[in-house]
Amino acid sequence: MDKEKKEESSAIHPAVAPLSYLLGTWKGEGEGGYPTINSFRYGEELHFSHPASGKPVIAYSHKTWKLDSGQPMHSESGYWRPKPDGSLEVVIAQSTGLAEVLKGTYSAEDNVIKLHSQVVANASKVREISRVYKIVNGDLHYVVQMATNLTTLQPHLKAVLKKL
Ligand code: HEM
């Protein structure tokens, strides 16, 4: 390992190390739907970074766009806080004004992260959100489900992204 790479990896907080495979930029396409809306496809770029603060935190952001026109769609950003015991808490602020606090687990063996909302704030319809992220053949796959005031927990988004 060259000196620069060694310094980079040694700067990763031990709590973040099991999730270091996320760090970087991912790009791909997704499909959205819900019983109450028409399904749609979208482009997405997702970014995970480990700020050089020495803290056990991963900064997260994503942006999405319409595949035909490139017009921006939903975006969100937040912080992922992994703990050495395999639990994880995440805060996310969405461009729609909705705020989420999620808790869950990660598995270092099969690279699966499961999150479920503890708090969904400033939402007119959304009551619950779950997010599952996993690595399959080196690609990042995720599924976001939501429950609204009218509908139980059901998929809203699924996407597959490649590391750039
Ligand atoms: C619709 C929530 C992420 C695109 C909706 C609705 C809700 C919602 C509550 C309305 C459903 C209804 O009327 O019954 C959320 C939440 C998200 C999320 C909680 C993240 C956790 C996204 C993303 C995109 C997106 C990333 C784009 C890539 C849409 C579209 C509609 C929609 C296109 C349909 C709008 C319409 O037909 O009026 N979403 N959304 N959403 N969402 Fe999301």
Side-chain angles (χ1 to χ4, degrees), residues 36-37 40 42 64 74 94 125-126 129 131 146 156-157:
T36 45
I37 62 172
F40 58 93
Y42 58 93
T64 60
H74 182 107
Q94 300 192 11
K125 294 181 176 173
V126 183
I129 298 171
R131 296 172 176 252
M146 66 179 174
H156 181 38
L157 308 165

